Amino acid sequence: GKCDDRLIKFKSPQVASNDEGIMNDDKSVKIGGEEMVLKVTSPSNLAGNYDLTTSAWGKVKVQCQAGKEPAKIVISSSGIDDVDLCIKPKAEHSYGTGTIVLARRGKCAMPDKVTNGKTSSFVIIVNTTPERMDIPSGGIGPMDVGVGSIGWDVGESLLSVLMAGGEIAGTVECDGGAELIEEDKGTLRVGSGDHSVHWARFGSTEYPAAPVKVRKITKARGNSEFGCTLDDIQVKVAGAVAVVKRGGGCGFGDKVVNLEKAGAIGVIIVDTGGGDQRVMCSEEQAGEIGIFVGMVSSDYWASTREEEWAVIRP
């Protein structure tokens, strides 16, 4: 999934200069108005600067330095059978400092791909569409490797060369270096205490200043707890912040769209694990959603009441 409300120019030697896509990242690093780029230096037919979206939980500051010597761009150490980077490398294997690992999206979670490529300097995930995408951390925390994404039109061109045994060299650069920017996190204070909220990079960034009613979508009132359809939402959520569980066979954006239609002023999605990763949605939903959205850890569901007052601190 992918989502943000900021349009950017998707620049690439292989696509038209006026192609536009949705960028949705961990506050992508910008230096002097320039995006981070993958600078391919060889082979000559692929040489050029290709825009990247980076994630703040990766080690950007060290990796984003202009003027570095070109490094190898490679695929998984397991070869073409693992172009998705889902197979854990052998304990003795190291990609080596400076190496950039390219991996196709899918088959396993993105944090697993990054973990499998952590002995490199940068892991770049190729999206399934021309747009660059969000790389959620899954709550695993900062990594000692750069993390980024690139569109499929550029990424698949590079992968095809590597999968055929060809060699590619390049660097990850941005003018003047980069700074890590913290992820958007806030606090939801209820009777049981404070709960960390990981805010989505889409929807509204305006939060209620006064205490607000928070209502769970629970089975007790004939709901599915997931909010995947409007029929699931039997609890009155108009004017309240709705809380639903992750899962149920639908996307985050589906839940939010349904709950906004039901009158909710905000949506909190409860994760299935102990973390609180970033919420994503489709590009179409990004333009449709007008309420604030966040995710809390699974602890919230068991420790809070079905309905209570809360104070939201962005």
Side-chain angles (χ1 to χ4, degrees):
K2 47 189 184 298
C3 230
D4 201 332
D5 54 6
R6 295 165 293 169
L7 286 172
I8 57 150
K9 298 288 185 182
F10 184 84
K11 301 181 292 255
S12 160
Q14 297 184 348
V15 295
S17 62
N18 63 348
D19 284 349
E20 290 186 340
I22 297 290
M23 181 177 71
N24 51 79
D25 59 325
D26 262 327
K27 292 183 174 176
S28 223
V29 177
K30 292 188 176 183
I31 302 296
E34 297 293 326
E35 298 289 336
M36 285 184 66
V37 296
L38 172 64
K39 183 176 182 179
V40 176
T41 55
S42 66
S44 59
N45 65 308
L46 291 177
N49 292 341
Y50 300 89
D51 288 348
L52 293 177
T53 283
T54 59
S55 295
W57 57 279
K59 189 176 181 182
V60 178
K61 190 170 185 179
V62 173
Q63 306 304 332
C64 183
Q65 300 291 332
K68 294 187 299 184
E69 289 296 317
K72 281 187 176 182
I73 300 175
V74 302
I75 56 174
S76 167
S77 59
S78 299
I80 60 174
D81 292 332
D82 184 39
V83 71
D84 313 281
L85 198 60
C86 291
I87 297 175
K88 186 176 180 180
K90 295 179 180 179
E92 65 274 14
H93 179 268
S94 175
Y95 286 100
T97 302
T99 302
I100 299 166
V101 181
L102 206 62
R104 185 178 285 154
R105 181 179 183 179
K107 290 193 177 179
C108 64
M110 295 182 196
D112 293 336
K113 299 177 188 291
V114 178
T115 299
N116 292 337
K118 66 181 180 181
T119 58
S120 67
S121 286
F122 218 99
V123 173
I124 298 176
I125 299 175
V126 178
N127 198 9
T128 52
T129 70
E131 290 80 31
R132 292 164 283 150
M133 64 178 173
D134 178 62
I135 308 286
S137 66
I140 65 173
M143 294 286 287
D144 195 32
V145 59
V147 184
S149 75
I150 199 166
W152 68 265
D153 44 1
V154 175
E156 287 295 334
S157 296
L158 300 177
L159 283 174
S160 64
V161 172
L162 296 173
M163 293 171 67
E167 295 185 354
I168 303 177
T171 59
V172 174
E173 297 185 0
C174 65
D175 295 336
E179 295 180 358
L180 286 174
I181 303 175
E182 294 299 321
E183 297 177 319
D184 288 341
K185 290 204 173 183
T187 302
L188 181 65
R189 172 166 288 183
V190 293
S192 60
D194 290 352
H195 297 266
S196 176
V197 183
H198 199 156
W199 299 116
R201 296 290 293 152
F202 63 93
S204 175
T205 55
E206 295 183 4
Y207 307 94
V212 63
K213 187 74 76 174
V214 176
R215 293 192 176 100
K216 291 181 185 176
I217 308 300
T218 64
K219 288 181 179 178
R221 294 192 181 183
N223 303 288
S224 71
E225 300 181 328
F226 301 109
C228 288
T229 68
L230 279 172
D231 291 338
D232 289 341
I233 306 166
Q234 302 301 319
V235 174
K236 183 180 179 182
V237 296
V241 176
V243 180
V244 290
K245 284 186 176 180
R246 180 180 185 178
C250 65
F252 298 138
D254 299 324
K255 301 173 189 287
V256 178
V257 168
N258 290 333
L259 289 162
E260 184 172 11
K261 287 179 179 177
I265 63 170
V267 174
I268 300 295
I269 299 172
V270 181
D271 199 5
T272 51
D276 49 54
Q277 66 173 290
R278 191 173 48 263
V279 181
M280 298 173 287
C281 69
S282 72
E283 295 172 15
E284 182 179 355
Q285 290 167 340
E288 184 179 349
I289 294 168
I291 59 178
F292 63 86
V293 184
M295 178 173 278
V296 295
S297 71
S298 58
D299 298 340
Y300 179 91
W301 196 267
S303 63
T304 55
R305 296 190 295 272
E306 184 176 327
E307 180 176 300
E308 58 187 322
W309 289 94
V311 174
I312 295 176
R313 295 179 176 175

